[in-house]
Amino acid sequence: MNLRVKEMKRGRKNLKQAASEQDFKLKQCHQSIAQMMETKRDNSLFKRKKRRSNRAYNLLVMGCFLGLPLRRRRRRSRDMSEIPQDLLIEILCRLPGKYLARFKCVSKQWSSLISSRYFCESLHTITQPKQEPHLYMCLVDKDGQSELLSLSPDKTCCFAVDQDLSIIGMGGYFLNGLHGLMCFSIRKRACIYNPTTGQRLTLPKIKPDIRAEPDQIRCIKRNHMGYDPVDNQHKLLSTIVIYSENLVNLKTEHWVFVLEAGGSWKKCVPHENHRPHAPFVAGKSISGSVVHYLAWHDMYTYAIVSFDFRSEEFTTIIAPVDVRYDIPAIQMRAELIEYCGKIAIFEYSYLETEGTTVLWVLEDAEKKEWSKKSFVLQPCQMHLVQDTELIVKGTTQDGKVIFAPLEMHSGFYILCYDLQNNGLSKFEIKGIPHRWFDKECYFDLRLVNESSVIYLET
């Protein structure tokens, strides 16, 4: 009896142990299945998150620049390939020009789209917000190495270099532009650059008909950009000058290039009474269709020369006789500026020594009527111009004259002269690469007031 009881107890114990082991194995199985399911869910969630992140990346970046609010709640974003191209172009067209240049780095698709003719033409149909002017600086050393720097104003009365928009190997001599396009000369060729789309067009060399004698100098003095509103064409005027010492035996040729597919240089033949001239400063264009620039006829006679890009004709207005008539061409410091919507000659030959400037405003071009304004710099600001040879680099939107030192080595800066209150302000330029310090180099400045919407044919 006792033996049977013991066997029954031993049997119950074995059954409990077996049941416990089975429960443990079943529990382990459930845990393994749960872990597998959790891992699978995690992997699936990770893949979904990654896909969402990849799909939404471009829109997120664009949204930050467009100022769109970022919500905490996550929503599924559509794939960029599902967005119609017309909608994408409309979004991109509303961005400032400097952001378009950055967005070309997002993908090959965006780079190709932003540089396309269709995109450039679409910009015409969309009204863009008014943009702040952008200052570009071009540096060229004696070996021909160049760099184009993009400068933006900050809150400390300084200009800072935007490293993302600066391009090594871009830029050249005699920087000028129109409608957001920039023109410069490099190795006797004219180059057109669109900072918005990143396009660059190098024009062919000019084969002039005039030849320089052994004792003469031949040079391409200036390139001026203009616009033909009737044919909707942008053109480039280039002037070739041959002269002897002191501008004796002066000869000139003028060539026009139309910025279109298959464009070539065409010689412009002036009227018989047209007098040869040598441009010596950058031109000024108010409407875009006519460019005005100062030029010398001889050592003591200079004039305002106007070129109409529609008719391709020249007109000349001799400067007033008493505009520092005793100053020869090699010593004259003058520039054309826009003053109250009119063309004016800003003469500053004695700014460095006496602090004086003279402004001659062309009140009526047909009647050749001029008005004269004289300015004397405040004594407390004379230290900004003394012992420094300055050159005018254009004007701001509010009419301030931009001065820059003719030579800059250790410190880069510009001066802004307010003709309304006769005040001079200094703005330092920060962020210039160190390789440009303490070396002899050419530099130029150009204030660009708008983004370019022109497609350059190549």
Side-chain angles (χ1 to χ4, degrees), residues 188-225:
K188 297 183 179 181
R189 290 192 176 190
C191 296
I192 309 297
Y193 175 62
N194 188 336
T196 301
T197 63
Q199 287 183 289
R200 173 178 171 174
L201 178 62
T202 301
L203 305 187
K205 288 185 178 180
I206 300 175
K207 299 179 180 180
D209 296 331
I210 56 177
R211 296 289 183 269
E213 300 296 332
D215 61 338
Q216 289 184 317
I217 300 174
R218 191 192 81 176
C219 62
I220 299 177
K221 295 296 292 184
R222 289 291 180 182
N223 295 315
H224 299 104
M225 290 193 65

Side-chain angles (χ1 to χ4, degrees), residues 58 63 78 127 231 252 428:
N58 293 332
R78 299 181 63 184
T127 303
D231 294 335
T252 58
E428 295 183 0

